[in-house]
Amino acid sequence: TRSSVWGGPLRARGFSLIELLIVLAIIALITAVVLARYRSFNSTVLLRDLAYEVALSVREAQVLGISVRGQGGVFTAAYGVHFTSGTTYTSFIDEDDNGRYDMGEDLSSYTIGQGNAITDLCAETTCGLDSLDVLFRRPEPDALFFTDPAVSPIGSARVVLGGQDGGTRAVRIWSTGQIAVE
């Protein structure tokens, strides 16, 4: 018989069949858990990204509203974002100065995909609004809100976004011009 350097008999080293099966079972279990959570994780990430995209659109309207960008030689028009429940929202310039979004005042239209949507619009504690217009008028960075049906006074508004897995995120806009993702 052969002997090892330390003087004992040389044994075959390696995994037994049972040890190999246990390791494979553990790997299969971990893989199953990761794959099951992937869809939920992916949906959560997409919803969070959508919330930040909506907040960025509102911030862009605020910047345009307080800057010196004009439309057709007019520099006093307000800029805003028009929200309705569903899968689209619109940034606009209030050319007729009525404080609301009207057809033809569009700057950009945004389409929400990936199974996400605007599920609710709230002003203060009143939810279930048909539409919400958030405007910014020069020179103040303060937000002006116009809702349908009308709610007054409005210190803040929320755009609630829903994902395909039932998760929600909200973008809150305060009348002071602050914008936050919740």
Side-chain angles (χ1 to χ4, degrees), residues 2 22 35 41 44 57 64 66 81 98 102 106 139 153 162 166 173:
R2 294 175 49 196
I22 289 172
L35 289 176
F41 172 76
T44 302
S57 297
L64 290 173
I66 62 176
V81 183
N98 67 349
D102 298 312
D106 305 38
I173 305 116

Side-chain angles (χ1 to χ4, degrees), residues 112-132:
I112 300 169
Q114 306 291 332
N116 298 324
I118 297 171
T119 57
D120 201 4
L121 300 169
C122 304
E124 291 298 327
T125 57
T126 304
C127 291
L129 302 173
D130 295 332
S131 68
L132 170 68

Side-chain angles (χ1 to χ4, degrees), residues 29-111:
L29 181 65
I30 291 171
T31 303
V33 169
V34 166
L35 289 176
R37 296 290 299 156
Y38 176 75
R39 181 181 170 127
S40 174
F41 172 76
N42 191 33
S43 178
T44 302
V45 168
L46 290 172
L47 186 60
R48 185 194 68 208
D49 288 349
L50 172 62
Y52 281 105
E53 182 181 328
V54 169
L56 186 61
S57 297
V58 174
R59 178 69 70 204
E60 181 181 17
Q62 183 181 37
V63 168
L64 290 173
I66 62 176
S67 68
V68 293
R69 180 177 179 190
Q71 181 79 5
V74 177
F75 293 92
T76 58
Y79 286 81
V81 183
H82 172 72
F83 296 102
T84 57
S85 293
T87 58
T88 60
Y89 65 97
T90 305
S91 66
F92 67 97
I93 179 170
D94 187 21
E95 293 175 338
D96 60 3
D97 202 29
N98 67 349
R100 293 193 146 295
Y101 167 73
D102 298 312
M103 294 301 281
E105 293 180 335
D106 305 38
L107 287 176
S108 299
S109 183
Y110 300 92
T111 302

